[in-house]
Amino acid sequence: MSERLKGKVAIVTGASGGIGRAIVAELLSESCTVVGINQSEDPSNIGYHEFIADVTNRTRIEEVVDEVIKKFGRIDILINNAGVTKDTLFYRMSYEDWDYVINVNLTGAFNLTKACIRELVKNEGVIINISSVVGLEGNIGQANYSASKSGLIGFTKSLAKEFGRKNVRVIAIAPGFIETPMTERLSEELKSKALERIALRRFGKPEEVAKLVKFLIIDGTYITGQVIVIDGGLEL
């Protein structure tokens, strides 16, 4: 086990999900103190400090961030990873489907960042927003999800410009098809069609995204305001 992040404190939203759990494991492997924010309790917690909160609930998020600072004394890294889908063709998309996805995926990232930003500035921290390739390219039946992930990219680029002078780095990662519970719900036909469009002919692993996150935090010290695509050569 390395100790390159020893003494650092990271917050990861959606810590119990496929990508979130892999990110937590990578940060723990570097002796980072990891705080995971989940909407419900994670029965297979792998060693992080869990807080239960809805990222859309600003009052609760502020309470959690205050508790983290009181308990650990600092926040150095924020990973906005919490995300949901409500896929359907636009004609069928309800207002509730739109609001739900935008509020969790985009407004949730705003809420966490707003609550953490003073600590991140104080500690010259890093913010990594987990976007998606559909935030760059769009996708049929995902107008709400694509809009939320595209919004995260604009959010990332704006904050990178605003806080670069404070030595806070802000980066977006845009994964393609990754082996998570979200992609497991796809039909075999859709999976097969997706594989035909991926140059490497396989879905990515959550650990591959997590290793990219770790690289950007530890070694990518001159990278900010960028969108890093990790999609195996996906043609959309």
Side-chain angles (χ1 to χ4, degrees):
M1 178 181 286
S2 171
E3 293 192 344
R4 290 183 291 176
L5 293 179
K6 188 173 184 179
K8 303 291 187 181
V9 177
I11 291 179
V12 181
T13 66
S16 63
I19 292 176
R21 181 177 296 277
I23 292 171
V24 168
E26 285 294 331
L27 297 181
L28 289 174
S29 76
E30 298 291 342
S31 299
C32 186
T33 298
V34 182
V35 173
I37 297 179
N38 296 317
Q39 193 160 16
S40 57
E41 188 174 350
D42 178 5
S44 53
N45 185 314
I46 58 174
Y48 62 91
H49 304 271
E50 185 179 41
F51 286 82
I52 305 302
D54 180 341
V55 295
T56 69
N57 185 330
R58 288 173 177 151
T59 300
R60 175 58 183 151
I61 289 303
E62 288 170 357
E63 290 172 352
V64 167
V65 170
D66 286 345
E67 289 180 53
V68 171
I69 296 168
K70 286 176 184 175
K71 185 170 184 177
F72 302 109
R74 60 189 296 134
I75 298 170
D76 302 273
I77 300 158
L78 172 61
I79 312 294
N80 285 310
N81 170 68
V84 295
T85 58
K86 279 283 186 178
D87 297 348
T88 190
L89 295 174
F90 189 74
Y91 275 126
R92 301 172 186 164
M93 188 171 290
S94 67
Y95 294 109
E96 291 77 16
D97 290 343
W98 175 270
D99 289 344
Y100 174 60
V101 173
I102 295 293
N103 287 341
V104 173
N105 297 2
L106 182 56
T107 307
F110 169 84
N111 292 342
L112 263 298
T113 307
K114 183 75 169 176
C116 293
I117 193 62
R118 293 187 185 278
E119 276 295 307
L120 293 167
V121 167
K122 185 191 305 182
N123 299 311
E124 298 185 352
V126 182
I127 302 168
I128 296 182
N129 297 315
I130 306 300
S131 181
S132 169
V133 290
V134 301
L136 293 166
E137 301 292 341
N139 197 29
I140 293 170
Q142 289 192 308
N144 49 5
Y145 187 74
S146 299
S148 71
K149 294 300 187 178
S150 182
L152 268 182
I153 290 169
F155 182 63
T156 297
K157 289 181 175 290
S158 296
L159 290 188
K161 288 179 168 64
E162 189 167 340
F163 291 100
R165 69 196 70 183
K166 304 288 187 182
N167 290 317
V168 174
R169 294 187 297 117
V170 191
I171 308 155
I173 293 176
F177 287 94
I178 308 297
E179 294 176 353
T180 66
M182 194 178 290
T183 56
E184 284 173 7
R185 292 196 295 268
L186 298 175
S187 69
E188 291 304 315
E189 181 183 4
L190 284 175
K191 288 180 184 178
S192 178
K193 287 181 178 179
L195 287 171
E196 291 174 4
R197 292 155 44 209
I198 299 171
L200 294 182
R201 292 298 188 266
R202 67 175 178 86
F203 285 7
K205 299 182 183 302
E207 293 76 16
E208 292 173 308
V209 179
K211 288 182 187 301
L212 175 59
V213 169
K214 185 169 72 173
F215 166 79
L216 291 170
I217 293 169
I218 295 174
D219 298 311
T221 52
Y222 198 53
I223 299 173
T224 193
Q226 301 302 307
V227 183
I228 312 298
V229 176
I230 177 169
D231 67 0
L234 174 66
E235 294 182 11
L236 287 172

